[in-house]
């Protein structure tokens, strides 16, 4: 009886998980999606807990309370720390999957070899390899993103690295196959922990050669792995709810990384093989060209005369945490009757949808956040394009320079605006490590400085103007 | 420059491989060792594969339609959902198993719980930020006709 | 081994069925969808046939060949006969499901009572009830649509009808429950056939009170039932492929009937309870208003002067089989440099998408078939709206007459065009049985006659003009 | 006028009921008669329900996106797909069962085969009619960049 009730609860929870993701298709229903997901998770937890075989409650309560205690502060991190939190969370997910797989294996070893059916062993091996590599890989990724000092930020590569890693993984898989075929050989007591160690090691080696900038794509892939390890756990425990939720998670991870790749006009393999994050070689042999620097005052004047201002935020706005200043700027301009739109490139920043969350945090109505294709139609009518810490996503080389590494990537056509103001700290290139013609064109003026500071000055200047 | 081997690709290939193994080996094994000696009723592999395939289809369909606006919250939401591993953790921790095994389960439970709580809370926190200037009025039909046409 | 291969084949077939429906989202990929579906079906048939338990091949071959022999001519029916063919096909589907359920029951009765597990019995009862009611219901629907003489076209209703039917169904279900609880009682040999008879009877009674015009919605529901009976068969045979394909079919049926309801602005219950297909009472007490009849010649002249002509086809075009004439008209107009668009109302005709297939049959490019919402934006710029056998779908009462039975139904706003020509045979109303203000307005001119004939004359007149 | 009872609605309610029974009764029954006397391994009800639920989700998602242009071909395509009952018919007709039972199967096989053949053929026939004026050129990207950025 209990069994049937729990199965029914699992079915309901699966449906609610699907609805949760479905409702994310619109900001209006998205919060309902979260509620639905949380309810589904609650059902899953409580109904599992209610199973008759669950007899020890103390540890459960302790572990659960501890998890809640750690989870709440983790949900309060600043929005710029969201990528590392996500990575950390994948690490936890991978760890949980790996540990459950390990526990089940030793449990069944103890109960007798007939418990270790082929299906179970295959699923366990898949689960622990995926789980533990996700664990260390995500942990390292989180560390890199957080900028922890003793973790090398730059990609670490060496000759033969890939063959070594491939070899390691090969050994792990080979051991896994052995375990599947003969789950209780005399050597299997050693093989199992060796697989775990190899998976842990492999996770680290997986992330070491990847630069901080390709991290989001990799995190998304790790997300998929975490999902797949949950699927594997579902096969181990013969639990369909795990399979459904894990598969949803897995497809989400793969699709998001595909979307990122597409928006960068790079193939999946190119992201994984291209070594984008590596040494950004200074563009050699180019004639030294001149930027036109401009003062806050004259920028203010031009802005005041505009009727359509398009703000193009990028990674620089995120690191400078300038979104609240940008909101003030938006208010100042809107108060003057100027139409202000935000042009959101799908891979602006370092996370899909990064700009949207930041600007939403600063209370900018999401109806003013315009997607790339839509805003590009309006760019020729745009009086001022204000580029705030964006670089690659406005680089016209993507359109007209065949040999550029970003050639073919869809961009926001800031260069078509009547005037361009660009806020950045220096003459350094962006993520792709290449010069940006936009900054050299006639109608572009640079406002050098930290995004938060510069926008702040713009606001002050505008406020002063309106004051007198 | 020639393509270089890189690890994520390898890892992907590996996981694809693992999953294929998952699908094919048991079938073969069942052939080799027919009806293992009074083993536990072998869980229905094919049901699980069906469920897996169908959920993947659903995932692809549903995720592809998520608004771009919400990709960051989506990542944290799926993150929370992947903490479904909590089910396994509870079973391992709470059952009458040896202490060492239950310990592993407790750690897993702690880790999953953390993900559940932080995942849902942060997603909600982010979503709360998305605001329309005016309260969103759904374009109501001019006036729903009273029960259109029951005469 | 064979078992695993077949299961794998079933998994592949399920995926292909899903892709088949997915590819129907675009005419460009739709034929790929058909191929995918056919391949999936081929895989399903061949792999089942290859199962070791299938040992008698002669009957299989005979039955399959006979099926093919009957199927091919059935696929050659004229397009106006598509609704009846679909209904007939549902009848066959229901029959197959019912017979398999019956066969399985008697087989298991013979093999011993322990075979008749609760799950199997429930599934069998569901399968035979759904299957056999779909069989007779669809057969009757097909007959009505085909206009077979001894089948009453008009809805047949009598007092207490519904209670009687409900009673019958109740008895069938009650017997089913008894069978489930005690599958091999002494009376079960009688109960089973009684259930079958009741289901067959119920199918007939289900369709008798429904008028020919509500048939498409009902056919769609019967489609859903056919799907559900396949699902039930899947539960009986423990076969996931049947469950997947049946569920796809079931949801398709329900969604299409929902779409039809929505496009008619009627609730599901209203269609089922509203008795629309019944006596179309002549509109009483209305003052007799005047139509303006017009000659072919003057219509030709006006058409020649137009720059945008919107053709609005309806059920009348379908019954008159006028689509090829319409194509000639289209050619004549396009040759003169006139822009011609077709305004397709979602429930024009008697089947969802009815107009699209007919016009496509006449080789009209589907890019000129415009959906209601899109064409309505252009209607004020339209010089001539040519209504061919449509009525309800252009009735402005839907917009501005609160007490009209079709009030609130979205329509094609022909009344906004500069001139309207309407082709119909008489002053009779359309499907909803109500007058149409469009025909009385100043700028509307009637061209009375059969659609095929009138359009033919228009074409001749236009061709004559261009000749001299 | 007051709502009148009508049969399709009743039939719908009945089938909903039947399906619910399908879901709940076996569970209860299993409770009442635990482990029926050496019965055939009871097919996994819950797997089947999962597969059913997931496929229904997929069906709803996929059908909702079908182009309106193609609703008539869609009806005949799903019609062909529902002839999947052919699987059961083959099993019944071809197995070593009593002749009367196989006869029922043969009729079912005939009926399903008819549906398969006519369903797919007529769908294809209809779809062949849908033509664009010019051969549909998919808007090709201005010139696919050579392997965008592998340096
Ligand atoms: N969003 C994603 O999901 C994702 C995923 C993977 C990769 N990427 C990649 O990331 C890039 C995103 O493009 P993007 O245009 O947003 O960023 P970007 O090309 O990396 O450029 C950021 C610019 O901001 C400036 N900046 C940095 N800190 C600043 C500060 N405190 N104040 C003011 N300016 C500052 C930098 O110039 P200074 O140093 O001179 O200040 C730099 O030019 C794309 O190449 C994309 O392919 C994105
Ligand atoms: N498409 C679907 O899926 C579906 C499903 C269920 C219900 N319906 C209902 O069907 C109706 C469809 O609207 P509709 O405007 O297409 O059709 P309609 O309202 O039924 O009108 C058809 C018109 O065509 C005329 N006509 C009939 N035969 C003709 C011929 N041989 N030559 C010329 N004219 C002829 C009739 O007038 P005369 O008799 O004077 O010639 C009639 O006014 C809607 O009310 C809709 O709700 C549609």
């Amino acid at each position: 009886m209990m069994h049937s009730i729990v199965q029914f609860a699992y079915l309901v929870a699966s449906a609610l998980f699907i609805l949760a993701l479905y409702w994310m298709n619109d900001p209006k229903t998205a919060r309902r999606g979260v509620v639905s997901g949380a309810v589904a998770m609650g059902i899953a937890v409580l109904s599992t807990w209610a199973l008759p075989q669950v007899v020890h409650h103390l540890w459960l309560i302790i572990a659960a309370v501890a998890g809640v205690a750690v989870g709440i502060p983790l949900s309060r991190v600043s929005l710029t720390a969201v990528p590392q939190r996500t990575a950390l969370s994948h690490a936890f997910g991978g760890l949980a999957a790996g540990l459950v797989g390990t526990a089940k294996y030793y449990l069944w070893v103890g109960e007798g070899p007939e418990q270790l059916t082929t299906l179970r062993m295959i699923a366990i091996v898949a689960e622990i390899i995926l789980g533990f590599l996700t664990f260390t890989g995500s942990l390292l990724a989180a560390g890199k993103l957080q900028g922890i000092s003793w973790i090398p930020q730059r990609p670490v590569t060496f000759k033969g690295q890939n063959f070594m890693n491939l070899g390691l993984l090969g050994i792990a898989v080979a051991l896994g196959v052995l375990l599947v075929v003969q789950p209780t050989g005399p050597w299997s007591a050693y093989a199992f922990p060796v697989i775990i160690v190899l998976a842990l090691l492999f996770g680290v080696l997986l992330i070491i050669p990847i630069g901080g900038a390709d991290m989001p794509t990799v995190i998304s892939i790790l997300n998929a792995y975490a999902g797949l390890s949950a699927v594997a756990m579902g096969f181990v425990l013969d639990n369909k709810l795990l399979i459904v939720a894990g598969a949803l998670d897995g497809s989400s991870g793969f699709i998001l990384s595909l979307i990122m790749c597409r928006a960068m006009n790079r193939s999946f393999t190119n992201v994984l093989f291209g070594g984008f994050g590596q040494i950004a070689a200074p563009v050699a042999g180019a004639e030294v060209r001149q930027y036109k620097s401009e003062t806050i005052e004259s920028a203010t004047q031009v802005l005041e005369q505009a009727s359509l201002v398009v703000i193009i935020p990028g990674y620089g706005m995120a690191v400078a945490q300038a979104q609240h200043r940008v909101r003030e700027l938006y208010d100042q301009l809107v108060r003057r009757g100027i139409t202000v739109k935000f042009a959101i490139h799908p891979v602006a920043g370092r996370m899909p949808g990064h700009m949207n969350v930041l600007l939403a945090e600063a209370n900018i109505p999401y109806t003013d956040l315009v997607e790339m294709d839509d805003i590009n139609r309006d760019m020729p009518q745009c009086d001022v394009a204000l580029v705030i810490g964006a670089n690659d996503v406005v680089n016209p080389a993507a359109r007209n320079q065949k040999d550029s590494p970003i050639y073919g990537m869809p961009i926001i056509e800031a260069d078509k605006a009547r005037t361009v103001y660009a806020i950045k700290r220096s003459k350094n290139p962006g993520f792709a490590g290449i010069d940006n013609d936009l900054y050299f064109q006639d109608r572009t003026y640079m406002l050098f400085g930290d995004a938060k500071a510069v926008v702040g000055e713009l606001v002050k200047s505008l406020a002063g103007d309106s004051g007198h | 420059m020639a393509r270089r081997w890189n690890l994520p690709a390898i890892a992907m290939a590996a996981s694809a491989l693992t999953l294929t193994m998952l699908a094919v080996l048991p079938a073969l094994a069942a052939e080799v060792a027919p009806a293992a000696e009074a083993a536990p009723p072998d869980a229905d592999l094919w049901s699980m594969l069906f469920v897996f395939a169908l959920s993947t289809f659903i995932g692809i369909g549903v995720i592809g339609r998520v608004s771009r606006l919400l990709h960051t919250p989506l990542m944290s939401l799926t993150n929370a959902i992947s903490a479904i591993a909590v089910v396994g953790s509870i079973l391992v921790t709470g059952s009458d198993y040896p202490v060492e095994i239950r310990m592993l389960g407790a750690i897993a439970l702690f880790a999953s719980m953390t993900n559940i709580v932080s995942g849902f809370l942060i997603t909600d926190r982010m979503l709360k930020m998305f605001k329309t200037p005016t309260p969103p009025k759904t374009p109501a039909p001019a006036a729903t006709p009273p029960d259109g046409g029951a005469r």
Side-chain angles (χ1 to χ4, degrees), chain B residues 70-98:
Chain B
L70 301 181
H71 274 169
T72 299
L74 172 68
M75 279 179 91
S76 55
L77 182 63
T78 54
N79 194 216
I81 291 179
S82 79
I84 190 66
V86 71
V87 167
S89 318
I90 292 177
L91 287 177
V92 170
T93 316
S95 296
D96 204 2
Y97 293 155

Side-chain angles (χ1 to χ4, degrees), chain A residues 10 17-18 21-22 24-25 27-28 30-31 34 37-38 41 45 48 51 53-56 59-60 63-64 66-68 70-72 74-77 79 85 89-90 92-93 96 99-100 103-104 106-107 114-115 117-120 122-123 126 130 162 165-166 169 202 205-206 210 223 225 231 233-235 237-245 247-249 251-252 255-256 259 268 272-273 278 346 351-354 356-357 360-361 363 365-367 371, chain B residues 3-12 14-15 17-19 21-22 25-26 29 37-40 42-43 45 47-49 51-52 55-56 58-60 62-99 101-104 106-133 136:
Chain A
Y10 284 172
F17 279 136
I18 293 168
L21 293 180
Y22 172 75
M24 290 296 279
N25 67 0
K28 287 198 202 74
R31 290 189 68 195
V34 177
M41 193 58 86
V45 168
T48 308
L51 277 172
Q53 73 221 67
V54 176
V55 288
H56 298 290
W59 288 24
L60 284 176
V68 173
V70 174
I72 289 177
L74 262 181
S75 74
R76 298 268 166 83
V77 298
L79 281 186
R85 192 214 69 91
S89 176
H90 293 154
F92 282 3
L99 288 179
V100 170
K104 273 292 182 181
Y106 283 113
L107 178 72
E114 74 284 356
Q115 293 289 339
T117 62
T118 311
L119 171 60
R120 282 180 175 176
I122 294 178
L130 284 170
N162 291 314
N165 297 334
L166 193 61
L169 187 66
F202 184 72
L205 294 172
L206 193 71
I210 291 173
N223 187 358
Y225 286 169
V231 171
M233 193 193 288
F235 277 85
L237 301 175
D238 188 14
N239 185 317
K240 271 100 202 166
L241 172 61
L242 280 167
I243 299 179
V244 173
L248 292 176
D249 199 35
S251 30
S252 163
I255 287 181
L256 282 183
I259 289 177
F268 214 72
L272 301 177
F273 291 77
Q278 277 182 281
M351 220 172 23
H354 202 170
N356 299 307
V357 209
E361 185 198 13
N363 275 321
Y366 65 78
T367 42
E371 282 194 20
Chain B
R3 293 241 161 119
R4 303 201 299 78
W5 282 94
N6 198 309
L7 293 171
I10 299 171
M12 280 187 55
S15 68
L17 208 101
T18 326
L19 285 171
M21 269 175 33
L22 207 72
L25 260 192
E37 53 295 350
D42 208 12
L45 168 70
S47 303
M48 296 200 269
L49 286 176
V51 170
F52 180 48
S55 322
T56 306
I58 293 179
I60 292 172
V62 169
I63 301 288
R65 277 193 260 187
V66 170
S67 159
R68 280 208 171 155
L69 220 45
L70 301 181
H71 274 169
T72 299
L74 172 68
M75 279 179 91
S76 55
L77 182 63
T78 54
N79 194 216
I81 291 179
S82 79
I84 190 66
V86 71
V87 167
S89 318
I90 292 177
L91 287 177
V92 170
T93 316
S95 296
D96 204 2
Y97 293 155
V99 170
I101 285 175
R102 290 180 50 217
M103 218 123 84
L104 293 179
I107 302 174
L109 178 55
F110 162 75
S112 323
M113 258 312 179
T114 312
N115 277 357
I116 294 176
V117 172
S118 69
F120 286 116
L121 284 183
I122 202 168
T123 310
D124 196 51
R125 203 184 115 210
M126 284 193 265
L127 289 175
K128 257 190 279 190
M129 295 169 181
F130 285 86
K131 295 197 184 85
T132 36

Side-chain angles (χ1 to χ4, degrees), chain A residues 176-201:
Chain A
V177 171
L178 276 178
L179 267 181
V180 170
V181 175
Q182 213 179 359
T184 47
W187 41 268
S188 59
Y190 306 102
F192 198 85
V194 170
I195 295 179
I196 294 179
V197 171
L198 287 176
L200 289 170
L201 197 60

Side-chain angles (χ1 to χ4, degrees), chain A residues 269-336:
Chain A
T269 15
N270 182 269
V271 167
L272 301 177
F273 291 77
F276 240 61
Q278 277 182 281
I279 337 93
V283 193
E287 81 273 43
V288 179
R289 291 186 290 175
Q290 282 300 314
Y291 293 104
K292 282 179 296 301
S293 197
E294 191 49 281
T295 62
I296 297 290
E297 288 69 37
S298 70
T300 311
Q301 278 166 19
V302 175
L303 278 172
E304 282 182 316
Q305 249 107 65
S307 68
L308 172 61
V309 173
V310 173
I311 298 181
I312 305 163
Y315 177 62
M317 186 191 81
V319 275
Q321 292 261 46
Q323 63 270 28
H324 297 284
R325 288 291 120 73
V326 170
R327 161 83 210 198
E328 291 167 24
L329 180 64
Y330 169 88
D331 286 341
Q332 284 290 342
L333 293 173
V334 167
R335 183 177 309 160
R336 283 172 169 74

